[in-house]
Amino acid sequence: MSEHPHDIEADRRNKLTRLRDEFKIDPFGQRTPGIVPLDQARAKYDEQADADHKADPTQQDRRPVVKVSGRVMQHREMGNLIFMSLRDASGDLQVAVSKKAVPIEQFKLAKITDLGDIVIAQGPLAKTKTGEITVWAAASGGGDSAYAMACKSLAPPPGKWHGLQDPEQRYRKRYIDLYANPQVMDLAQKRIRIIDEIRGFLRERGYLEVETPMMQAIAGGAAARPFITHHNALDIDLYLRIAPELYLKRLLVGGFPKVFEINRNFRNEGISPRHNPEFTMLEAYEAFGSWETMAGMVEEMVCTVAERVFGTLEINHRDTEDTEKITKTINLKRPWRRVSMAELVAERTGWKFDKQPLSAQQIDALRDANKGKDLKLDGTAAEQLVEVYEKLVEPTLIDPTFVTRVPGVIIPLAKRCSDDNDFADVYELAINGQEISPGYSELNDPDEQEKHFRGQVGDSEEQQKIDEDFLEALRVGMPPAGGMGLGIDRLVMMLTGAPSIRDVILFPLMRPRGGGD
RNA sequence: GACCGGGUAGCUCAGUCGGUAGAGCAUCGGCCUUUUAAGCCGUUGGUCGUGGGUUCGAGUCCCACCCCGGUCACCA
């Protein structure tokens, strides 16, 4: 049949032909009602019924019968008895196909079943000699098969023991990764639950979920390089959004009191274990709030999510090799520390920020004490403060910390502190050594906002365009408001201990490979 | 974008000083009705990331490029 007699795909295609010609079955299956997930099937096992049946097989068989389906992960053939391990999203369950218990064609089908095939088995639940709960395939009265093929797998499967390890293949072929590595499926489901709980939490508090443009004529709301795309009919370039902020604020202007959006942002920048070009962001705005409103909200939200999804406020990160070993514990117990950036820097370095730039001696001392950190300290006093914070302090903030009184120059969309115009009235929440969430007392003075924008345009080589319509909206009038953003991917990393953002995004961006990968 | 590490059978990995390309599992053929990475006997499978170069001879040395991971830069 094939020129490569031991090519795995060719072997499987031969079997495909046999299934059609000899077995007269559809190798790709049909609608099949009544299948229960493997964990539910396992839970139906009845110890007493099993014992009774083993004691006296002639009595009425009261063992629960289940119909299950899964991908074949292991296939052990012992002459006239075949054991298989099936896997679905809920877990694994063993199936046994005995020559005596099923029609001969179905036994032959079980014999030529390959690793990776999706099969259906029906029969009573009983333990094996070694105590493993097993579905013993057996024909029922209803005309259902005891054992059937649901979908022939043609591609070579990953190894049954090591699975798929190569990170490149895991990210490119996530559909294999998901079934070959159960912890990947588990993490994907954790992420889904985390986002569900965030939505529920916000809805319970009266926030309405809205959708704002992903394609924008002017990409505003953050300092980042955008992706460019093109609309043919209008013949205009558009940008994929870097933030939804300016549109969510327009909704406050229009009269929505509390809105949020959970969706993708796109930033045309480097890729790292903490950065994917598209990432999922929550932004929420509350009229008549401030950064403190939002800090309280995010604190409660993260704790609620942690408790509902993980049942604890103590998040343990484990070694990737030795999963017994706890490498880090994050304590989410409230209240979370609230402390100014200058105070944190002083604690860490002894530098008491007084708005004066560091002296040459201070710079040398800092560099000497922190070799390998590549401190860039040639800017203004405010820039130095931010640089020292980001390089030396933020990575050490494992437990949640609201960093307040951030130099205003880097934050154009927030109000200034009422007692000091040099600082912005905001928080930056750091957990696990990463910035996970910013929160602002939102700037609603249109003239001051315009001043900030014009100041930005002046010194930016990229000539960021000003969203004049947003300024017009502020002139119409936006109530004072609190706003917050939260990086969902990083939150999931923090809660699950995933070391890379690629582990919490099902399909992280990869450079295309030849051959359609 | 810079630097470091990696790319060898379907999977997981060895490959010494430059001297015929290896193992386990998977595949394929046999045996086996309670296995647990089943076992036993046999079998097959390679563009050593790609392209050049050095050499009698390159998986191994040199150059360029591709892809992945990490660190840094940019950024959240």
Side-chain angles (χ1 to χ4, degrees), chain A residues 203-305:
Chain A
R203 258 198 306 274
E204 284 164 24
R205 275 151 192 78
Y207 285 86
L208 297 177
E209 181 168 14
V210 297
E211 293 166 282
T212 64
M214 295 254 189
M215 295 193 292
Q216 304 177 349
I218 297 170
R225 296 168 63 186
F227 288 92
I228 304 174
T229 186
H230 188 79
H231 187 277
N232 289 336
L234 296 181
D235 190 25
I236 51 169
D237 281 341
L238 290 169
Y239 299 97
L240 300 187
R241 74 174 182 197
I242 56 176
E245 174 154 1
L246 304 187
Y247 285 90
L248 292 171
K249 284 179 172 172
R250 283 172 169 91
L251 295 179
L252 293 191
V253 172
F256 280 98
K258 290 177 164 187
V259 294
F260 78 97
E261 180 165 10
I262 295 177
N263 223 317
R264 235 68 63 76
N265 290 344
F266 307 86
R267 299 190 182 176
N268 203 340
E269 278 147 8
I271 295 176
S272 86
R274 290 164 299 282
H275 302 265
N276 194 62
E278 55 177 312
F279 61 101
T280 301
M281 186 86 162
L282 159 69
E283 285 201 15
Y285 293 84
E286 175 167 346
F288 303 103
S290 69
W291 74 261
E292 289 166 288
T293 317
M294 306 320 275
M297 189 272 275
V298 72
E299 196 174 352
E300 194 181 340
M301 181 172 76
V302 170
C303 288
T304 301
V305 168

Side-chain angles (χ1 to χ4, degrees), chain A residues 2-3 32 34 67 83 89 195 207 215 241 266 318 323 358 428 510:
Chain A
S2 165
E3 295 172 28
T32 309
K67 190 196 283 189
F83 289 101
I195 293 174
Y207 285 86
M215 295 193 292
R241 74 174 182 197
F266 307 86
R318 288 165 192 280
T323 52
L358 291 159
E428 280 184 9
M510 302 290 277

Side-chain angles (χ1 to χ4, degrees), chain A residues 334-346:
Chain A
R334 287 178 281 168
W336 295 352
R337 190 179 182 203
R338 301 183 183 195
V339 56
S340 76
M341 184 175 283
E343 206 175 321
L344 280 168
V345 166

Side-chain angles (χ1 to χ4, degrees), chain A residues 48-63 100 124 126:
Chain A
Q48 191 59 51
D50 189 14
D52 290 348
H53 183 263
K54 283 191 173 97
D56 186 356
T58 62
Q59 291 300 303
Q60 191 192 4
D61 187 354
R62 292 177 46 253
R63 298 173 301 174
K100 277 201 291 198

Side-chain angles (χ1 to χ4, degrees), chain A residues 19 25-27 29 109 113 117-120 147-152:
Chain A
L19 291 180
I25 63 172
D26 177 354
L109 178 61
T113 294
D117 291 348
I118 301 172
V119 301
I120 298 167
Y147 181 81
M149 182 67 64
C151 181
K152 184 73 196 160

